[in-house]
Amino acid sequence: MTNLNALTTLPTLTGGKGFLGHAREIERDRLAFISKITRETERISRLRVPSVNAVVINHPDLLHEVMLERARDFEKSHLLRYSLYLLAGEGLFTALFEPWKRHRRMISPAFHPASLGVFADPMVECARRVVGEWEGRSQVDLLRETTRITMAIAGRTLFNTDTLVAADEIGNALTVALEWAANNAPSASAFVHLWIRHLSQSVAERMHAPEGSRLRSVQAKLSGPVILAGQEGKALRKAIDTLDRHVETIVRERRAARTEHEDLLFRVLAARDDDGSLLNDRQIRDEILTLFVAGHETTATALAWCIDLLARNESEYRRVQDEVDSLGHRPTYADLPALGATLRAFKESLRLYPPVYFFSRQACRDTQIDGVAIPRHCAVAISPHALHRRADLWPNPDAFQPDRFTKDQEEQRPRLAWLPFGAGPRVCIGAQFALMEGQLVLAHLLRTYRFEAIADVKPQPSATLRPLGGMPMKITKRSI
Ligand code: HEM
């Protein structure tokens, strides 16, 4: 690696004073921090956080470099793993390269676009059932309702169950675990934990400790939080116990039944590696919870924002409404090609309010970005939200303009200017699933009800980018 500039030559994002540096700002007001990235980072800037070097990248070329060209140099970050480890363990979202590679190879066929068609009718059916309960009502909290829909879809497509007795309990436990992750990621205790983990790794490496040794198992234990203090910590422990209990029961019953099912659990249980091996019980638990978590809250948030944006843009609403009405029936898989305006509106709302608004990587060896030497352990922050508000990539960036997603317009933009699902080998495995779910659920909702926004809603960057305090919406039943 010759002729590389030193990390210290990079501009540093303004602010970031004190021990926690920019982590304090991220903790206090994430949206303000993200806006600062949009304003100040054209390509790459340095961040000040405790105990590690850190940069933020905000340009399609550099995203390509980190997420595709040098994907092997950048692992999921220890901070992400720390915050989600008790929930998702070594599932696809949080796993390091090994064992991720094997699991992704095994699970990918389950999400092949050609095999997703069977989920279309169940998706619309779940939306129909929830909407059926709105009879006689003039107002709903749309976020609550879209969450009920996507939760029902997750239950149906993962476990093939309509009446998952445990659904509410699982839903509540997932919320507790996600909130813990959102509140505890950039905290002082997280950074102290990561610092200890970092030290234990250095010692294990310097002593050439073999896999399976005591030092290595201490290090593995430090992937997630070790001490769960206070009310919040106790609530997390209880939530994880609840989730473990339910997943264990569901998997045990399914194995005992030995019947074929049209659902993702069946596909994950049957997934075989090239040598014929299957996933073990712990791995199945981690993957199932990962799919449940990654799959439902993200799509629920995206659906709520999309309807809110449509409700505030009369002409765009009319376009989607006309398209949906011209189907003349409940939407089906075969109708997806005819729902182009619906898909464009959904994609544009994922641009303005990307549910996964911030994620990160960590250099696992000395490497480079944009001709700058990046030392091992350096954290790399990426914000789809900051990227999606760049005026040079998205003229008039705050305006809702679904036509940005016509084929012509998409071809004129750098591919990585739109990043709601990430990119490269770690791209969202459920992206096609989510787009199909978005199109079908939106079509069913707009076909059956008229939506009017009745309050200004602000985004709240929590585990996902949710509307703060929910999304109150006036609804009127349509005669169809
Ligand atoms: C609008 C909805 C969704 C959004 C915005 C979204 C966003 C993302 C993003 C940004 C990543 C990559 C994170 C990174 O690179 O660090 C990701 C990964 C992932 N998503 Fe999604 N997702 C959505 C829906 C889904 C659904 C429906 C599923 C499953 C049913 C799912 C399962 C996953 C999994 C398993 C990963 C990890 C993939 C890997 O590393 O191999 N997601 N998602």
Side-chain angles (χ1 to χ4, degrees):
M1 266 192 263
T2 49
N3 300 328
L4 292 179
N5 293 318
L7 196 63
T8 46
T9 61
L10 286 177
T12 303
L13 217 63
T14 56
K17 304 271 182 281
F19 169 69
L20 282 179
H22 289 110
R24 169 71 71 216
E25 287 176 35
I26 300 174
E27 208 178 2
R28 277 201 191 131
D29 188 346
R30 284 179 208 184
L31 271 191
F33 184 74
I34 287 170
S35 301
K36 182 150 82 175
I37 297 174
T38 307
R39 281 196 313 277
E40 296 184 12
T41 306
E42 215 248 308
R43 294 179 72 83
I44 176 168
S45 313
R46 270 182 98 188
L47 296 179
R48 283 197 201 95
V49 291
S51 76
V52 285
N53 287 307
V55 296
V56 57
I57 56 170
N58 193 35
H59 190 283
D61 292 350
L62 305 194
L63 291 162
H64 194 271
E65 205 178 327
V66 169
M67 301 180 81
L68 284 101
E69 290 159 49
R70 299 186 204 283
R72 275 302 284 116
D73 293 354
F74 296 97
E75 285 274 24
K76 290 283 175 141
S77 71
H78 296 313
L79 185 59
L80 170 94
R81 282 167 60 75
Y82 167 82
S83 63
L84 287 174
Y85 200 73
L86 291 184
L87 178 60
E90 298 291 346
L92 285 179
F93 197 85
T94 33
L96 298 178
F97 189 73
E98 306 286 354
W100 166 83
K101 198 169 137 216
R102 170 173 180 259
H103 292 195
R104 177 89 187 202
R105 193 169 56 227
M106 292 170 78
I107 295 173
S108 283
F111 285 91
H112 191 279
S115 67
L116 296 179
V118 291
F119 298 135
D121 286 348
M123 284 173 176
V124 177
E125 180 53 26
C126 289
R128 200 188 65 80
R129 279 203 342 248
V130 171
V131 166
E133 292 169 21
W134 294 355
E135 203 59 55
R137 293 174 68 181
S138 58
Q139 190 179 323
V140 291
D141 173 355
L142 191 61
L143 180 65
R144 182 172 176 271
E145 299 304 311
T146 54
T147 305
R148 289 176 66 213
I149 294 172
T150 58
M151 188 76 153
I153 292 175
R156 183 73 191 266
T157 56
L158 266 171
F159 309 122
N160 194 22
T161 171
D162 281 336
T163 51
L164 189 64
V165 182
D168 277 351
E169 249 190 272
I170 293 183
N172 293 338
L174 286 177
T175 306
V176 169
L178 278 180
E179 270 169 14
W180 188 92
N183 295 340
N184 287 275
S187 63
S189 58
F191 282 105
V192 170
H193 176 102
L194 292 182
W195 181 67
I196 295 170
R197 191 200 169 282
H198 183 72
L199 280 184
S200 85
Q201 185 175 0
S202 305
V203 172
E205 282 171 6
R206 230 170 291 136
M207 294 179 70
H208 302 290
E211 286 309 319
S213 64
R214 220 148 165 216
L215 261 175
R216 291 289 181 190
S217 68
V218 166
Q219 199 194 318
K221 273 224 165 70
L222 290 171
S223 295
V226 186
I227 302 161
L228 290 174
Q231 286 297 100
E232 230 193 347
K234 274 193 200 131
L236 174 66
R237 176 65 65 201
K238 195 165 159 231
I240 300 295
D241 288 346
T242 304
L243 293 169
D244 283 345
R245 196 162 27 84
H246 284 303
V247 172
E248 199 203 309
T249 310
I250 291 167
V251 171
R252 189 173 4 93
E253 287 175 358
R254 176 62 66 84
R255 282 206 166 114
R258 291 174 181 277
T259 42
E260 288 209 7
H261 287 265
E262 283 285 12
D263 61 21
L264 291 166
L265 176 61
F266 179 76
R267 295 180 190 185
V268 171
L269 285 171
R272 277 177 196 278
D273 202 357
D274 298 341
D275 60 5
S277 59
L278 298 160
L279 297 174
N280 66 31
D281 284 359
R282 180 72 207 183
Q283 291 162 342
I284 285 170
R285 176 261 180 221
D286 288 352
E287 298 302 355
I288 290 296
L289 283 180
T290 294
L291 293 177
F292 212 122
V293 172
H296 91 276
E297 173 155 335
T298 43
T299 319
T301 318
L303 280 165
W305 282 120
C306 187
I307 293 181
D308 181 69
L309 287 162
L310 286 171
R312 293 170 199 279
N313 290 269
E314 189 52 37
S315 59
E316 294 300 342
Y317 197 141
R318 207 170 318 115
R319 270 166 98 178
V320 178
Q321 187 75 76
D322 289 348
E323 178 177 89
V324 167
D325 288 350
S326 68
L327 294 181
H329 53 252
R330 207 182 288 163
T332 66
Y333 184 65
D335 296 320
L336 290 177
L339 292 173
T342 313
L343 180 61
R344 288 193 290 279
F346 191 55
K347 285 182 165 180
E348 173 69 341
S349 54
L350 285 170
R351 179 187 73 83
L352 282 168
Y353 298 109
V356 182
Y357 55 95
F358 207 88
F359 55 88
S360 56
R361 292 287 187 273
Q362 191 144 5
C364 51
R365 55 178 67 105
D366 289 344
T367 179
Q368 57 179 289
I369 305 174
D370 208 21
V372 174
I374 299 291
R376 185 172 175 225
H377 301 306
C378 180
V380 182
I382 296 167
S383 169
H385 192 289
L387 179 76
H388 292 174
R389 302 282 176 140
R390 279 182 67 135
D392 55 340
L393 297 170
W394 306 97
N396 197 3
D398 297 336
F400 177 64
Q401 295 174 352
D403 275 350
R404 298 182 205 265
F405 291 90
T406 59
K407 196 161 176 288
D408 278 359
Q409 295 253 358
E410 280 188 325
E411 279 168 7
Q412 280 168 27
R413 262 191 315 269
R415 203 160 52 86
L416 297 194
W418 189 63
L419 206 67
F421 297 108
R426 302 299 295 250
V427 69
C428 175
I429 204 170
Q432 288 309 316
F433 183 105
L435 291 175
M436 173 168 111
E437 186 175 355
Q439 252 178 311
L440 291 170
V441 173
L442 278 173
H444 183 70
L445 296 185
L446 298 189
R447 188 174 126 77
T448 45
Y449 274 86
R450 172 91 200 155
F451 295 87
E452 285 166 67
I454 46 176
D456 271 337
V457 271
K458 287 202 167 59
Q460 177 192 30
S462 180
T464 60
L465 192 61
R466 286 191 235 170
L468 179 65
M471 187 173 278
M473 190 71 71
K474 184 174 167 212
I475 52 167
T476 315
K477 194 166 184 198
R478 299 181 71 222
S479 47
I480 45 167

